Amino acid sequence: MAEFKSGFVSIIGRPNVGKSTLINRLVGEKIAIISSKPQTTRNNILGILTDEDKQIVFTDTPGIHEPTSMLAEMMVKSANNALVDTDAILLLVEPIANVGRTEEKIIERLKKQKTPVILVINKIDTVKKDVLLSVITVYTNVFDFAAVVPISARKCDGVDAVKAEIEKFIKPGPQYFPEDMVTDQPQRQIAAEIIREKLLRSLNKEVPHGIAIEIFSFEESASKLTIEANIYCEKQSHKGIIIGRGGEMLKRIGTEARTELERMHDKKVFLSLWVKVNEDWRNKRGKIANFGFELQ
């Protein structure tokens, strides 16, 4: 029997490049929420892939960006910390034949360490082959990548090739997590993130970044799950948008979240949501901690 191998892999890149979609594909289950809005992921999230002869622990990091609040600063620090003590790094980029300022900063950081870096070019279904070749040339001219893998995470195209490259860098080691465990996120946190995902997908641009979810009651039995949660926003005007005319928006968000939670838990879910205002909470350390975000 082959010797068991294990390792840790960090996924890094700018916001909205597809990191969460990729980790969901790699693990084979939804563990990270997905939205077209940037800065969707706020904490480092572990995704765990286990089979007979190996275990790979992926870290989905918040997007690297110029922080404009205390929360954003913590998100960037969290992403940078994930580059330490890892066996390989996936740098996820879009198929644009130019190394952007954010990518330049990431690459400068990567040059200071010896960890193998795999360049993963996502969203290849949106460009022609000649553009993709130009992207590869531009990036390989500025960094010595261990491998380059073009993918479409959305279409699950190339994901197996990413896994194959990662397997070259994991070493004989222990199984760190139980084989049936796919993430380190507790069920309460996953429920909060599902609610936030539905908000992100339904609301206009200025509202989502100021939203936090607080699960204050989570009771599960064999036949049902009862969840009560507060949705916090930063402005009174945002509260009205979230609730919507006659409560229509809040009702829709609640229905979408409940439907997905029922599918995940395979049981009836009773979900109650309230909307509250907490001004400028993203710059209040105590509030950030209370809402379950990692303090760096």
Side-chain angles (χ1 to χ4, degrees):
M1 185 175 177
E3 189 173 14
F4 194 86
K5 293 184 176 182
S6 58
F8 292 81
V9 178
S10 293
I11 307 174
I12 196 164
R14 68 165 60 236
N16 208 30
V17 75
K19 297 184 296 298
S20 296
T21 302
L22 176 58
I23 197 170
N24 289 342
R25 295 296 193 187
L26 288 166
V27 173
E29 290 190 34
K30 182 174 180 178
I31 62 164
I33 65 171
I34 300 167
S35 165
S36 60
K37 306 289 194 305
Q39 301 168 40
T40 298
T41 300
R42 286 173 166 170
N43 281 329
N44 287 345
I45 295 172
L46 293 191
I48 305 157
L49 174 64
T50 308
D51 59 27
E52 290 182 356
D53 61 354
K54 64 183 174 294
Q55 183 174 80
I56 305 173
V57 183
F58 298 97
T59 302
D60 178 22
T61 63
I64 300 291
H65 60 286
E66 290 295 330
T68 56
S69 66
M70 186 181 292
L71 173 63
E73 287 177 8
M74 291 178 179
M75 288 163 59
V76 173
K77 286 180 182 178
S78 182
N80 285 325
N81 289 344
L83 301 182
V84 181
D85 295 329
T86 187
D87 296 287
I89 296 168
L90 304 184
L91 172 57
L92 200 60
V93 302
E94 294 187 333
I96 300 170
N98 175 57
V99 181
R101 184 179 176 187
T102 298
E103 285 74 21
E104 284 180 350
K105 288 185 175 182
I106 295 172
I107 288 171
E108 285 306 308
R109 169 72 188 272
L110 296 175
K111 285 179 178 178
K112 297 176 183 177
Q113 51 193 94
K114 297 179 180 180
T115 310
V117 182
I118 300 168
L119 178 67
V120 180
I121 305 171
N122 193 24
K123 306 180 184 181
I124 60 169
D125 52 310
T126 64
V127 297
K128 295 181 179 179
K129 187 176 181 180
D130 58 336
V131 174
L132 178 59
L133 293 173
S134 298
V135 177
I136 294 171
T137 299
V138 165
Y139 274 93
T140 54
N141 281 340
V142 297
F143 190 82
D144 185 18
F145 293 98
V148 178
V149 186
I151 71 165
S152 170
R154 185 175 64 87
K155 294 188 173 183
C156 208
D157 181 14
V159 174
D160 285 342
V162 174
K163 290 180 185 177
E165 291 297 335
I166 291 169
E167 288 177 23
K168 297 176 183 178
F169 302 106
I170 60 173
K171 304 174 181 67
Q175 181 175 311
Y176 293 97
F177 298 94
E179 62 182 27
D180 61 345
M181 186 174 175
V182 295
T183 183
D184 66 333
Q185 300 296 292
Q187 291 298 326
R188 291 173 73 107
Q189 183 64 24
I190 291 173
E193 287 290 88
I194 292 296
I195 296 166
R196 190 164 69 90
E197 178 187 61
K198 305 314 174 190
L199 286 157
L200 288 171
R201 291 187 174 186
S202 298
L203 300 174
N204 53 24
K205 266 192 254 182
E206 75 274 12
V207 180
H209 297 308
I211 285 175
I213 311 300
E214 176 192 39
I215 305 286
F216 62 87
S217 178
F218 189 97
E219 298 179 2
E220 187 170 13
S221 67
S223 60
K224 69 178 181 178
L225 173 61
T226 303
I227 300 172
E228 295 180 284
N230 287 326
I231 299 170
Y232 285 95
C233 58
E234 292 184 308
K235 297 179 181 180
Q236 194 68 34
S237 60
H238 290 175
K239 179 179 179 179
I241 294 170
I242 294 169
I243 294 173
R245 183 176 296 178
E248 184 178 336
M249 176 66 77
L250 186 61
K251 183 179 179 181
R252 187 175 80 190
I253 289 165
T255 299
E256 291 176 358
R258 178 179 53 76
T259 300
E260 179 153 350
L261 288 165
E262 286 182 338
R263 187 164 57 246
M264 290 178 70
H265 290 270
D266 195 25
K267 64 181 64 176
K268 189 72 175 174
V269 173
F270 296 91
L271 176 62
S272 300
L273 300 174
W274 288 266
V275 184
K276 298 185 176 182
V277 178
N278 196 313
E279 293 185 5
D280 200 34
W281 69 263
R282 284 180 291 172
N283 285 306
K284 297 175 181 175
R285 191 175 181 85
K287 291 296 181 184
I288 292 171
N290 288 343
F291 292 147
F293 300 117
E294 297 171 356
L295 295 178
Q296 300 294 326

